Amino acid sequence: MKESLRLFLDYIEHQRNYSPNTVDAYRRDLFFFISHLKAKGTASLDRVDYRILVEFLSVLREKGLADSSVARKVASIKAFFKFLSVRKITGSNPALILSTPKKGEKLPRFLSLEEVTRILSGPSGKKWQALRDRAILEMLYSTGIRVGELTSLERKDINIIEEMIRVTGKGRKERIVPIGRPALACLMEYMEKRPYAREEILFLNKHRKPLTARSVERLVEKYAMAAGLGRSITPHTFRHTFATHLLERGADLRTVQELLGHEQITTTQVYTHLTVDRLKEFYSKAHPRAR
C-alpha cells in the first residue's frame, strides 16, 4: 500500500505538477485512509470494494467532519484508485461509482425490518379487499417497484413458476423482477378470492376499476398510521427500503440498479450513503444462513 501511495504522489507532483500544498493534502487524506484499511484488517488494495469505501465515509461522518472535508477525501480516494486502475496496479476501480457528498444530502426515508413487519401485518381477515391490501404491501417491499408500475400490472405479468414479474417502467421499458415467496403467496391468495377473476388488471377497487396511484398511497398511509409510523410513509418509502435492505445485506449496486429500473447508476448511488448505525447493524446481524 505504501509503495502504491508513493507512486501516486510522485505522479501528481512531477507529472501533473500539483502544488506542494495539494500534494500534501492528498498525502494526509490517503495516509489516513490506508491506516483505516489496515486497522480493519484489509491487507491489500485489491480487496477494497465500494462497501468498504462507504463504511470509511461513515466513519468520517461519525467523527463530525465537515462536508467539505469529506468531499476532499472522496476526491483523493477517487483520484488514487483511478491512478491504480489505469496503471494496472489494481484489477478494478471500486471508487468509480463513489459519489461526492453534497451539502445537506440525506438518505431517503426507509424502514427498519421491524417497521416493515408491523405494516405488513396490518391487513387482517379473509375478505378480498384485505387480501388485496396485503398483496400490495408485500409486493411493494418484495420487488421495489414504483406505484405506477404496480397499478399497471396485469395477470399475464405474473410468472408463478419462475417467481418473477414483468414490470413496465418509465419510457415503456420492460424489466423482469424476482418476487419473494411470501409476496407471491399473498398475491396468489388474492387472485383466487377477488370477485373480478377475469379482469386483466391485477389490482381493482370495489367498482371493478383499476386502483389509482393515489388509492395505493392512501392504502399505505392507512396501514402506516395503524402501525404507529405516522403519515410520512408512502409507496416510494417501500422502494427506498427495498434498495437499502438489499445493499445492507451485500447486494451489488449494479444489480440493485437493474432491479429498480434506474437508467443511470448515479441515481442508485444515494443508497450507498448508509448511516453508521445501519452499517453496524448489518455487520452484527448478517449471517450466511439468512433463509
Side-chain angles (χ1 to χ4, degrees), residues 3 68 82 98 133 141 151 157 201-202 223 238 263:
E3 178 62 16
S68 57
K82 182 180 180 180
L98 195 65
D133 293 357
Y141 177 59
T151 55
D157 294 324
I201 289 292
L202 205 56
Y223 291 109
F238 279 91
E263 283 286 331

Side-chain angles (χ1 to χ4, degrees), residues 161-229:
I161 303 300
E162 297 294 333
E163 299 179 355
M164 308 285 279
I165 62 173
R166 181 176 58 193
V167 179
T168 303
K170 292 182 177 180
R172 303 299 299 172
K173 291 185 178 180
E174 293 186 354
R175 68 185 188 277
I176 302 299
V177 179
I179 178 172
R181 291 180 181 176
L184 187 59
C186 289
L187 182 59
M188 291 174 64
E189 187 176 11
Y190 159 65
M191 292 174 68
E192 290 174 359
K193 298 289 180 64
R194 71 176 190 159
Y196 315 122
R198 294 187 178 182
E199 293 288 342
E200 271 301 310
I201 289 292
L202 205 56
F203 295 113
L204 304 166
N205 62 25
K206 63 181 180 180
H207 302 296
R208 203 172 181 172
K209 300 293 184 181
L211 284 182
T212 63
R214 182 63 190 127
S215 295
V216 177
E217 289 171 0
R218 285 195 292 264
L219 181 153
V220 169
E221 182 180 296
K222 167 187 171 182
Y223 291 109
M225 289 288 290
L229 300 176

Side-chain angles (χ1 to χ4, degrees), residues 71-243:
R72 193 194 69 203
K73 286 177 169 54
V74 170
S76 299
I77 291 171
K78 287 175 73 71
F80 183 44
F81 277 102
K82 182 180 180 180
F83 169 81
L84 298 178
S85 178
V86 170
R87 294 296 180 91
K88 308 297 183 184
I89 297 173
T90 57
S92 62
N93 182 357
L96 189 63
I97 59 175
L98 195 65
S99 61
T100 302
K102 299 177 182 178
K103 187 175 182 180
E105 184 177 56
K106 295 181 180 179
L107 184 71
R109 172 81 160 95
F110 61 90
L111 304 170
S112 68
L113 185 57
E114 186 270 337
E115 289 172 328
V116 171
T117 302
R118 279 159 54 191
I119 294 182
L120 296 184
S121 63
S124 60
K126 291 297 182 179
K127 292 185 177 180
W128 73 269
Q129 290 98 331
L131 299 177
R132 177 201 62 194
D133 293 357
R134 190 178 304 128
I136 287 174
L137 295 174
E138 286 279 1
M139 286 194 68
L140 287 172
Y141 177 59
S142 179
T143 64
I145 59 177
R146 301 176 179 93
V147 64
E149 295 168 345
L150 177 92
T151 55
S152 65
L153 283 174
E154 299 183 357
R155 288 188 303 166
K156 65 177 183 294
D157 294 324
I158 312 300
N159 189 325
I160 296 174
I161 303 300
E162 297 294 333
E163 299 179 355
M164 308 285 279
I165 62 173
R166 181 176 58 193
V167 179
T168 303
K170 292 182 177 180
R172 303 299 299 172
K173 291 185 178 180
E174 293 186 354
R175 68 185 188 277
I176 302 299
V177 179
I179 178 172
R181 291 180 181 176
L184 187 59
C186 289
L187 182 59
M188 291 174 64
E189 187 176 11
Y190 159 65
M191 292 174 68
E192 290 174 359
K193 298 289 180 64
R194 71 176 190 159
Y196 315 122
R198 294 187 178 182
E199 293 288 342
E200 271 301 310
I201 289 292
L202 205 56
F203 295 113
L204 304 166
N205 62 25
K206 63 181 180 180
H207 302 296
R208 203 172 181 172
K209 300 293 184 181
L211 284 182
T212 63
R214 182 63 190 127
S215 295
V216 177
E217 289 171 0
R218 285 195 292 264
L219 181 153
V220 169
E221 182 180 296
K222 167 187 171 182
Y223 291 109
M225 289 288 290
L229 300 176
R231 296 179 178 274
S232 62
I233 309 303
T234 68
H236 219 67
T237 307
F238 279 91
R239 185 168 165 85
H240 296 322
T241 303
F242 167 83

Side-chain angles (χ1 to χ4, degrees), residues 1-25:
M1 290 189 189
K2 288 184 178 180
E3 178 62 16
S4 296
L5 178 57
R6 187 192 66 78
L7 290 172
F8 172 71
L9 294 174
D10 184 73
Y11 164 73
I12 63 174
E13 181 178 4
H14 298 294
Q15 296 188 42
R16 298 297 302 275
N17 296 317
Y18 283 13
S19 70
N21 286 341
T22 301
V23 173
D24 190 51

